[in-house]
Amino acid sequence: MTTFAYASQPPATVRADVLVLPVFEGPEPGPGVRDVKGVDLVALYRDAALTGKRGEHLLVPNTGNLGVAASSVLLLGVGKKADLKVDDLRRAAGKVARQLVKRASVATTLPQVLGRQPAEAVQAVVEGQILGAYRFDRYKTSSEEGPDRLETFTVLGSPRWDARTVKAAVARAEVVAASVCFTRDLVNTPARDLTPAALAEAARAMAEEVGLEVRIWDERELEEGGFGGILGVGQGSVNPPRLIELAYRGAAASQPPIALTGKGISFDSGGLSIKTSEGMETMKDDMGGAAAVLGAMRAIAVLKPRINVIAAIPSAENMPSGSATRPGDVLRHRGGKTSEVLNTDAEGRLVLADALAYLAEKRPRVILDAATLTGACMVALGEELWGLFTTDRSLGRALLAAGEAAGEPGWELPLHRPYRKLIDSEVADVKNVGKRYGGAITAALFLAEFVGDVPWAHLDIAGPAFTDSAGDYWPKGATGVPVRTLVGYLLEQAKPR
Ligand code: BES
Ligand code: ZN
Ligand code: MN
């Protein structure tokens, strides 16, 4: 376990194995570089043919010549000074994290490069360090990488900064990043081990640890409660479905809660409308929305903002078998609406329908859902952006802003009402597929049927929840998107207005 510390002493006096100092494109010295009096670090950097472009780094060992207390200095290119954004700090910290976890102590002036928003900058650097160091190696019996040793990571700020605010940002970053890692672990866990019941037990254990109210609905209780969508999707699997209910109370009981849900398909084979084997390869990730909501609830429970938040997360395994839902079957959802299942691979909307209807009964302020819902959304927006659909302009704006600030950007797609006709059913209230075109929109319109008049936003995270290419602060696999967006949005809602 790494300890994160904050200090505002001169960088040259800091005892650490590695002192990480930023260099702007030029190269131009970043904060702390000029404090190293022993040698001309900028000249050294330039001599190595480096210009300060993002990620260009040079490790300079201290053989007693540098005039600093640290054992070595890592000069880290961060790009053009004028272009720097908060997420660039997260990326810079993440990029070097893997190497630096092999050292016992690291200190950095990185957050000072922005010159303003110290709390945001500090939070981003600490998040980047933790997220960049994340690995999922639970199933590996040997690793070439060797163990992580990082004991202390010290953030060096300016003496002008308010230490209390910045220390709070360090603490917040630790909570948020640990919650993202919690989500990543759930998503990366093979579906063999993370059945709906196992997901529910993981949620229960988390809830008990951080002090959330929790209730797990089993298949009999779901039957009695009229959750026909969750049961219909789960009925082909030997692993029965669950509904995970959580509550966080941080404000007066009279204050309506914010409601969250997420798609928790522990494995999506497509059911009888079976996928290709290639199409199934990553489908253990189809509970990414559920895991992100669990991660966000975990963070909120620890950070304790003055709001109320409830969650109801449906989980089922979508499998083909003699007991599976057939194309043409009609399901009766919570609240009574019926849907005709024409494609059993459009299962996410079926389980979410029940959860949305259930949450709407509780008259929350807003309902948010996150779901790895459609390949169509990936076609529209690619693999990095989540799609936003909403019935409420200001809610949509707040979520897009939260995503941008968290380094998890989304983009709005239209909830185009005229396409509702594409999901008219001959036999039920709605059918679960439209045409091939506009597939993310018809999926969202299906969900919209179940929220009543409660302001609602849907995040289609099929693209960014899981990645086949490692990035600056994420390895291949689960990314934890959109935990940071949800937490940022919720914390913002708790601020007095
Ligand atoms: N879980 C998938 C969506 C998905 C696909 C997520 C690829 C991540 C990567 C979802 O359940 C699904 O199968 N959707 C279908 C809907 C179609 C049958 C209307 C799709 O997108 O093809
Ligand atoms: Zn799915
Ligand atoms: Mn599917």
Side-chain angles (χ1 to χ4, degrees), residues 76-134:
L76 176 64
V78 292
K80 289 203 182 70
K81 195 172 182 175
D83 297 348
L84 268 175
K85 300 197 176 51
V86 172
D87 196 49
D88 295 322
L89 300 187
R90 204 180 274 110
R91 287 171 182 270
K95 213 176 295 192
V96 293
R98 217 18 19 207
Q99 281 90 59
L100 297 187
V101 290
K102 304 301 166 202
R103 314 300 183 105
S105 58
V106 172
T108 184
T109 60
L110 201 48
Q112 294 183 45
V113 298
L114 284 186
R116 65 207 138 77
Q117 313 156 301
E120 269 177 85
V122 165
Q123 184 173 342
V125 167
V126 175
E127 284 178 1
Q129 201 289 324
I130 299 171
L131 296 177
Y134 173 85

Coordinates of all heavy atoms in Angstrom, one line a residue, residues 76-134:
L76 N 10.4 14.8 -16.9 CA 9.3 14.3 -17.7 C 8.7 15.3 -18.6 O 8.2 16.3 -18.1 CB 8.2 13.8 -16.6 CG 6.9 13.2 -17.2 CD1 7.2 12.0 -18.0 CD2 6.0 12.9 -16.1
G77 N 8.7 15.0 -19.9 CA 8.1 16.0 -20.9 C 6.6 16.0 -20.7 O 5.9 14.9 -20.5
V78 N 6.0 17.2 -20.6 CA 4.5 17.3 -20.5 C 3.9 18.0 -21.6 O 2.7 18.3 -21.6 CB 4.1 17.9 -19.1 CG1 4.5 17.0 -18.0 CG2 4.8 19.3 -19.0
G79 N 4.7 18.4 -22.7 CA 4.1 19.1 -23.8 C 4.0 20.6 -23.7 O 4.6 21.1 -22.7
K80 N 3.3 21.2 -24.6 CA 3.2 22.7 -24.6 C 2.5 23.2 -23.4 O 1.4 22.8 -23.0 CB 2.4 23.1 -25.8 CG 3.2 22.9 -27.2 CD 2.6 23.9 -28.2 CE 3.3 23.7 -29.6 NZ 2.9 22.4 -30.2
K81 N 3.2 24.2 -22.8 CA 2.7 24.8 -21.5 C 1.2 25.4 -21.7 O 0.4 25.1 -20.9 CB 3.6 26.0 -21.1 CG 3.4 26.4 -19.7 CD 4.5 27.4 -19.4 CE 4.4 27.9 -18.0 NZ 5.6 28.8 -17.6
A82 N 1.0 26.0 -22.8 CA -0.3 26.7 -23.0 C -1.4 25.7 -23.2 O -2.6 26.0 -23.0 CB -0.2 27.6 -24.2
D83 N -1.1 24.5 -23.7 CA -2.1 23.5 -24.0 C -2.5 22.6 -22.8 O -3.4 21.8 -23.0 CB -1.7 22.5 -25.1 CG -1.4 23.3 -26.4 OD1 -1.8 24.4 -26.5 OD2 -0.8 22.7 -27.3
L84 N -1.8 22.7 -21.7 CA -1.9 21.7 -20.7 C -3.3 21.7 -20.0 O -3.9 22.7 -19.7 CB -0.9 22.0 -19.6 CG 0.4 21.2 -19.7 CD1 1.3 21.7 -18.6 CD2 0.2 19.7 -19.5
K85 N -3.9 20.5 -19.9 CA -5.2 20.4 -19.3 C -5.1 19.4 -18.1 O -4.1 18.7 -18.0 CB -6.2 19.8 -20.3 CG -6.4 20.7 -21.5 CD -7.7 20.3 -22.3 CE -7.9 21.3 -23.4 NZ -6.6 21.4 -24.2
V86 N -6.1 19.4 -17.3 CA -6.0 18.6 -16.1 C -5.8 17.1 -16.4 O -5.0 16.4 -15.8 CB -7.3 18.7 -15.2 CG1 -7.3 17.7 -14.1 CG2 -7.4 20.2 -14.7
D87 N -6.5 16.6 -17.4 CA -6.3 15.2 -17.8 C -4.9 14.9 -18.2 O -4.4 13.7 -18.1 CB -7.3 14.7 -18.8 CG -7.4 13.2 -18.8 OD1 -7.5 12.6 -17.8 OD2 -7.3 12.6 -19.9
D88 N -4.1 15.9 -18.8 CA -2.7 15.7 -19.2 C -1.9 15.3 -17.9 O -0.9 14.5 -18.0 CB -2.2 16.9 -19.8 CG -2.9 17.2 -21.2 OD1 -3.2 16.2 -21.9 OD2 -3.1 18.4 -21.5
L89 N -2.2 15.9 -16.8 CA -1.5 15.5 -15.5 C -1.8 14.1 -15.1 O -0.9 13.4 -14.7 CB -1.9 16.5 -14.4 CG -1.6 17.9 -14.7 CD1 -1.9 18.7 -13.4 CD2 -0.2 18.1 -15.1
R90 N -3.1 13.7 -15.3 CA -3.4 12.3 -14.9 C -2.7 11.4 -15.9 O -2.1 10.4 -15.4 CB -5.0 12.2 -15.2 CG -5.6 11.1 -14.4 CD -7.1 11.0 -14.6 NE -7.9 11.9 -13.8 CZ -8.5 13.0 -14.2 NH1 -8.5 13.4 -15.5 NH2 -9.2 13.7 -13.4
R91 N -2.6 11.8 -17.1 CA -1.9 10.9 -18.1 C -0.4 10.9 -17.8 O 0.2 9.8 -17.9 CB -2.2 11.4 -19.5 CG -3.6 11.1 -20.0 CD -3.9 11.9 -21.3 NE -5.2 11.6 -21.8 CZ -5.6 10.6 -22.5 NH1 -4.7 9.7 -23.0 NH2 -6.9 10.4 -22.9
A92 N 0.2 12.0 -17.5 CA 1.6 12.1 -17.3 C 2.0 11.2 -16.0 O 2.9 10.4 -16.1 CB 2.1 13.5 -17.0
A93 N 1.2 11.4 -15.0 CA 1.4 10.6 -13.8 C 1.2 9.1 -14.0 O 2.0 8.2 -13.6 CB 0.5 11.0 -12.6
G94 N 0.2 8.8 -14.8 CA -0.1 7.4 -15.1 C 1.0 6.7 -16.0 O 1.4 5.6 -15.8
K95 N 1.5 7.5 -16.9 CA 2.5 7.0 -17.9 C 3.8 6.5 -17.1 O 4.4 5.5 -17.5 CB 2.9 8.1 -18.9 CG 3.2 7.5 -20.2 CD 3.4 8.6 -21.3 CE 2.2 9.5 -21.5 NZ 2.4 10.3 -22.7
V96 N 4.2 7.2 -16.1 CA 5.4 6.9 -15.4 C 5.2 5.9 -14.2 O 6.1 5.4 -13.6 CB 6.2 8.1 -14.9 CG1 6.8 8.8 -16.1 CG2 5.4 9.0 -14.0
A97 N 3.9 5.8 -13.8 CA 3.6 5.0 -12.6 C 4.1 3.6 -12.7 O 4.7 3.1 -11.7 CB 2.1 5.0 -12.5
R98 N 4.0 2.9 -13.8 CA 4.5 1.5 -13.9 C 5.9 1.4 -13.5 O 6.3 0.4 -12.8 CB 4.2 1.1 -15.3 CG 3.8 -0.3 -15.6 CD 3.1 -1.3 -14.8 NE 2.5 -1.1 -13.5 CZ 2.4 -2.0 -12.6 NH1 3.0 -3.2 -12.7 NH2 1.8 -1.8 -11.5
Q99 N 6.8 2.3 -14.0 CA 8.2 2.2 -13.7 C 8.5 2.6 -12.2 O 9.2 2.0 -11.5 CB 9.0 3.1 -14.6 CG 9.3 2.6 -16.0 CD 8.2 3.0 -16.9 OE1 8.0 4.2 -17.1 NE2 7.5 2.1 -17.5
L100 N 7.7 3.6 -11.8 CA 8.1 4.1 -10.5 C 7.6 3.3 -9.3 O 8.1 3.4 -8.2 CB 7.5 5.6 -10.4 CG 8.2 6.5 -11.4 CD1 7.8 8.0 -11.1 CD2 9.7 6.5 -11.4
V101 N 6.6 2.4 -9.5 CA 6.2 1.6 -8.4 C 7.3 0.6 -8.0 O 7.2 -0.1 -7.0 CB 4.9 0.8 -8.7 CG1 3.7 1.7 -8.8 CG2 5.0 -0.1 -10.0
K102 N 8.3 0.5 -8.8 CA 9.5 -0.4 -8.4 C 10.4 0.4 -7.4 O 11.3 -0.2 -6.9 CB 10.3 -0.8 -9.6 CG 9.4 -1.5 -10.7 CD 8.7 -2.7 -10.2 CE 7.7 -3.2 -11.1 NZ 6.7 -4.1 -10.5
R103 N 10.2 1.7 -7.2 CA 11.0 2.4 -6.2 C 10.2 2.6 -4.9 O 9.0 2.5 -4.9 CB 11.3 3.9 -6.8 CG 11.7 3.9 -8.2 CD 13.0 3.1 -8.4 NE 13.5 3.2 -9.8 CZ 14.5 4.0 -10.2 NH1 15.2 4.7 -9.3 NH2 14.8 4.0 -11.4
A104 N 10.9 2.8 -3.8 CA 10.2 2.9 -2.5 C 9.6 4.2 -2.3 O 8.5 4.3 -1.7 CB 11.2 2.6 -1.4
S105 N 10.2 5.3 -2.9 CA 9.6 6.6 -2.6 C 9.8 7.5 -3.8 O 10.8 7.6 -4.5 CB 10.3 7.3 -1.4 OG 11.6 7.4 -1.6
V106 N 8.7 8.3 -4.1 CA 8.7 9.1 -5.3 C 8.1 10.5 -4.8 O 7.2 10.5 -4.0 CB 7.8 8.5 -6.4 CG1 7.6 9.5 -7.5 CG2 8.4 7.2 -6.9
A107 N 8.6 11.6 -5.3 CA 8.0 12.9 -5.1 C 7.9 13.6 -6.4 O 8.8 13.4 -7.3 CB 8.9 13.7 -4.1
T108 N 7.0 14.5 -6.5 CA 6.8 15.2 -7.8 C 6.2 16.6 -7.7 O 5.3 16.8 -6.8 CB 6.0 14.4 -8.8 OG1 5.9 15.1 -10.1 CG2 4.6 14.2 -8.3
T109 N 6.6 17.5 -8.5 CA 6.1 18.9 -8.6 C 5.0 19.0 -9.7 O 4.5 20.0 -10.0 CB 7.1 19.9 -8.9 OG1 7.7 19.6 -10.2 CG2 8.2 19.9 -7.8
L110 N 4.7 17.8 -10.3 CA 3.8 17.8 -11.4 C 2.5 18.7 -11.3 O 2.2 19.4 -12.3 CB 3.5 16.3 -11.7 CG 3.0 15.9 -13.1 CD1 3.8 16.5 -14.2 CD2 2.9 14.4 -13.2
P111 N 1.9 18.6 -10.2 CA 0.6 19.4 -10.1 C 0.8 20.9 -10.2 O -0.1 21.6 -10.5 CB 0.1 19.1 -8.7 CG 0.8 17.9 -8.2 CD 2.1 17.9 -8.9
Q112 N 2.1 21.4 -10.1 CA 2.3 22.8 -10.1 C 2.3 23.4 -11.6 O 2.3 24.6 -11.8 CB 3.6 23.2 -9.4 CG 3.6 22.9 -7.9 CD 4.9 23.3 -7.3 OE1 5.4 24.4 -7.6 NE2 5.4 22.5 -6.5
V113 N 2.3 22.5 -12.6 CA 2.5 23.0 -13.9 C 1.3 23.8 -14.4 O 1.4 24.6 -15.3 CB 2.7 21.8 -15.0 CG1 4.0 21.1 -14.6 CG2 1.6 20.9 -15.0
L114 N 0.1 23.6 -13.8 CA -1.1 24.3 -14.2 C -1.1 25.7 -13.7 O -1.7 26.6 -14.3 CB -2.4 23.6 -13.9 CG -2.7 22.4 -14.7 CD1 -4.1 21.9 -14.3 CD2 -2.7 22.7 -16.2
G115 N -0.5 25.9 -12.5 CA -0.5 27.3 -12.0 C -1.8 27.7 -11.4 O -1.8 28.8 -10.7
R116 N -2.8 27.0 -11.6 CA -4.1 27.3 -11.0 C -4.8 26.0 -10.7 O -4.3 25.0 -11.0 CB -5.0 28.2 -12.0 CG -5.3 27.5 -13.2 CD -5.5 28.4 -14.4 NE -4.9 27.8 -15.6 CZ -5.5 26.8 -16.3 NH1 -6.6 26.4 -16.0 NH2 -4.8 26.3 -17.3
Q117 N -6.0 26.1 -10.2 CA -6.8 24.9 -9.8 C -5.9 23.8 -9.1 O -5.9 22.7 -9.5 CB -7.4 24.2 -11.1 CG -8.1 25.1 -12.0 CD -8.1 24.5 -13.4 OE1 -7.0 24.3 -14.0 NE2 -9.3 24.3 -13.9
P118 N -5.2 24.2 -8.0 CA -4.3 23.3 -7.4 C -5.0 22.0 -7.0 O -4.5 20.9 -7.1 CB -3.7 24.0 -6.2 CG -4.4 25.3 -6.1 CD -5.1 25.6 -7.4
A119 N -6.2 22.1 -6.4 CA -6.9 20.9 -5.9 C -7.2 19.9 -7.1 O -6.9 18.7 -7.0 CB -8.2 21.3 -5.2
E120 N -7.7 20.5 -8.2 CA -7.9 19.6 -9.3 C -6.7 18.9 -9.9 O -6.7 17.8 -10.2 CB -8.6 20.4 -10.5 CG -10.1 20.5 -10.4 CD -10.6 21.4 -11.6 OE1 -10.7 20.9 -12.7 OE2 -10.7 22.6 -11.3
A121 N -5.6 19.7 -9.9 CA -4.3 19.2 -10.4 C -3.8 18.1 -9.5 O -3.3 17.1 -10.0 CB -3.3 20.4 -10.6
V122 N -3.8 18.4 -8.2 CA -3.3 17.4 -7.3 C -4.2 16.1 -7.4 O -3.7 15.0 -7.4 CB -3.4 17.9 -5.9 CG1 -3.2 16.8 -4.8 CG2 -2.2 19.0 -5.7
Q123 N -5.5 16.3 -7.4 CA -6.3 15.1 -7.5 C -6.0 14.3 -8.8 O -5.9 13.0 -8.7 CB -7.8 15.5 -7.6 CG -8.8 14.3 -7.6 CD -10.2 14.7 -7.4 OE1 -10.6 15.8 -7.0 NE2 -11.1 13.7 -7.8
A124 N -5.8 15.0 -9.9 CA -5.5 14.3 -11.2 C -4.2 13.5 -11.1 O -4.1 12.4 -11.6 CB -5.5 15.3 -12.3
V125 N -3.2 14.1 -10.5 CA -1.9 13.4 -10.4 C -2.0 12.2 -9.5 O -1.5 11.1 -9.9 CB -0.8 14.4 -9.9 CG1 0.5 13.6 -9.5 CG2 -0.5 15.5 -10.9
V126 N -2.6 12.3 -8.4 CA -2.7 11.1 -7.5 C -3.6 10.0 -8.2 O -3.2 8.8 -8.2 CB -3.3 11.5 -6.1 CG1 -3.5 10.3 -5.3 CG2 -2.3 12.5 -5.5
E127 N -4.7 10.4 -8.8 CA -5.5 9.5 -9.6 C -4.7 8.8 -10.6 O -4.7 7.6 -10.8 CB -6.7 10.1 -10.2 CG -7.8 10.5 -9.3 CD -9.0 11.2 -10.0 OE1 -8.9 11.4 -11.2 OE2 -9.9 11.6 -9.3
G128 N -3.9 9.6 -11.4 CA -3.1 9.0 -12.5 C -2.1 8.0 -12.0 O -1.9 7.0 -12.6
Q129 N -1.5 8.3 -10.8 CA -0.5 7.4 -10.2 C -1.2 6.1 -9.9 O -0.7 5.0 -10.3 CB 0.1 8.0 -9.0 CG 1.5 7.4 -8.6 CD 1.4 6.0 -8.1 OE1 0.4 5.7 -7.4 NE2 2.3 5.2 -8.4
I130 N -2.3 6.1 -9.2 CA -2.9 4.9 -8.8 C -3.5 4.1 -10.0 O -3.3 2.9 -10.1 CB -4.1 5.2 -7.7 CG1 -3.5 5.9 -6.5 CG2 -4.8 3.9 -7.4 CD1 -4.5 6.4 -5.5
L131 N -4.2 4.8 -10.9 CA -4.8 4.1 -12.0 C -3.7 3.6 -13.0 O -3.9 2.5 -13.6 CB -5.7 5.1 -12.7 CG -6.9 5.6 -11.9 CD1 -7.8 6.6 -12.7 CD2 -7.8 4.4 -11.5
G132 N -2.6 4.3 -13.1 CA -1.6 3.9 -14.0 C -0.8 2.7 -13.5 O -0.3 1.9 -14.2
A133 N -0.8 2.5 -12.1 CA -0.1 1.4 -11.5 C -1.0 0.1 -11.5 O -0.6 -1.0 -11.1 CB 0.3 1.7 -10.1
Y134 N -2.3 0.3 -11.8 CA -3.3 -0.8 -11.7 C -2.9 -2.0 -12.6 O -2.6 -1.8 -13.8 CB -4.7 -0.3 -12.1 CG -5.7 -1.5 -12.1 CD1 -6.3 -1.9 -11.0 CD2 -6.0 -2.1 -13.4 CE1 -7.3 -3.0 -11.1 CE2 -6.9 -3.1 -13.4 CZ -7.5 -3.6 -12.3 OH -8.4 -4.6 -12.4

